Amino acid sequence: GESVGLHLPTLSVQEGDNSIINCAYSNSASDYFIWYKQESGKGPQFIIDIRSNMDKRQGQRVTVLLNKTVKHLSLQIAATQPGDSAVYFCAENMWTSYDKVIFGPGTSLSVIP
Amino acid sequence: DGGITQSPKYLFRKEGQNVTLSCEQNLNHDAMYWYRQDPGQGLRLIYYSQIVNDFQKGDIAEGYSVSREKKESFPLTVTSAQKNPTAFYLCASSPVPDNSPLHFGNGTRLTVT
């Protein structure tokens, strides 16, 4: 079946460097993608989203890139801070099927002070 | 502040006992969801509800039950029929029919021994 997966389960980054977290998806019908951040002991928190009619979307210190050709999604965090340490999930679904969100297993980001 | 409240944060039960997890939201969202999170896996949908007095099974509904008597509340009962109930349970909500990101509570960690 369709699935969303992450290439790297763990990522360690020096404070101040940029972080890149990758995600692969397999459902070509997916047209809406979301990144969530989950801190220890808490629920996931929305970071940024992107629809399939876009290739790039920027937020505050975060950028999401979507490559539909290779079904790849990435989250870039600029000037990574200790507070960015968390597990990051990508999720995909179809705009018309909000109940069919598929989550990846997550990438754990550790920021080294 | 608007948000989703899950209680309790930690719950311990003996095998063979039913247990109910609470989820309350004051976001005025129509849709509510229950997810299960296990280490190294993406979130898996247990049940969801689009409107009061209506709910549908998700991907792993066996051994669980829900009710939606009020818009604000969506309690989840983990029954003794659930073979592996120890997990982190997350409740979420979203506006309907808008396909916006999910808003999550901070979860309940259930341990069954």
Side-chain angles (χ1 to χ4, degrees):
Chain A
E2 296 85 4
S3 65
V4 175
L6 295 172
H7 295 304
L8 297 173
T10 60
L11 179 65
S12 295
V13 176
Q14 201 75 36
E15 181 179 358
D17 288 350
N18 296 335
S19 303
I20 299 176
I21 300 172
N22 296 303
C23 175
Y25 67 94
S26 59
N27 185 1
S28 57
S30 293
D31 53 13
Y32 181 53
F33 305 88
I34 313 153
W35 281 101
Y36 292 93
K37 172 186 179 182
Q38 186 176 23
E39 297 177 32
S40 180
K42 295 185 177 180
Q45 180 181 17
F46 168 77
I47 302 174
I48 192 167
D49 59 2
I50 188 168
R51 307 202 190 287
S52 59
N53 61 352
M54 302 173 68
D55 297 322
K56 178 180 179 179
R57 190 170 187 210
Q58 288 184 294
Q60 186 177 10
R61 283 200 308 117
V62 294
T63 300
V64 56
L65 299 177
L66 176 62
N67 185 331
K68 295 180 286 293
T69 302
V70 295
K71 298 177 186 173
H72 185 267
L73 191 69
S74 69
L75 176 71
Q76 300 179 0
I77 304 173
T80 311
Q81 304 169 359
D84 295 327
S85 293
V87 175
Y88 290 82
F89 295 92
C90 64
E92 63 168 310
N93 69 329
M94 291 184 287
W95 180 249
T96 57
S97 301
Y98 58 91
D99 57 316
K100 300 297 183 186
V101 179
I102 301 172
F103 290 87
T107 291
S108 177
L109 175 65
S110 295
V111 180
I112 305 167
Chain B
D1 288 323
I4 299 180
T5 301
Q6 290 187 245
S7 61
K9 188 168 182 62
Y10 299 96
L11 193 52
F12 298 88
R13 279 295 182 270
K14 295 290 187 182
E15 194 173 309
Q17 294 179 332
N18 291 354
V19 60
T20 297
L21 283 59
S22 171
C23 178
E24 303 279 332
Q25 56 103 356
N26 60 3
L27 299 167
N28 200 34
H29 287 171
D30 286 310
M32 296 188 74
Y33 311 78
W34 274 105
Y35 285 92
R36 171 181 171 136
Q37 185 174 34
D38 294 285
Q41 297 188 39
L43 278 64
R44 292 183 291 169
L45 182 64
I46 304 172
Y47 267 98
Y48 64 98
S49 169
Q50 301 176 38
I51 197 168
V52 174
N53 292 324
D54 185 52
F55 48 82
Q56 288 78 40
K57 293 181 178 180
D59 300 320
I60 55 166
E62 185 176 351
Y64 299 98
S65 66
V66 293
S67 63
R68 188 84 186 276
E69 297 177 1
K70 299 186 300 182
K71 186 176 184 178
E72 301 80 18
S73 180
F74 192 40
L76 173 74
T77 296
V78 184
T79 75
S80 58
Q82 168 50 232
K83 295 178 181 177
N84 187 18
T86 295
F88 190 52
Y89 291 88
L90 286 160
C91 180
S93 71
S94 69
V96 172
D98 181 36
N99 194 358
S100 57
L102 297 173
H103 295 250
F104 286 91
N106 280 329
T108 291
R109 187 166 298 281
L110 173 65
T111 302
V112 177
T113 58

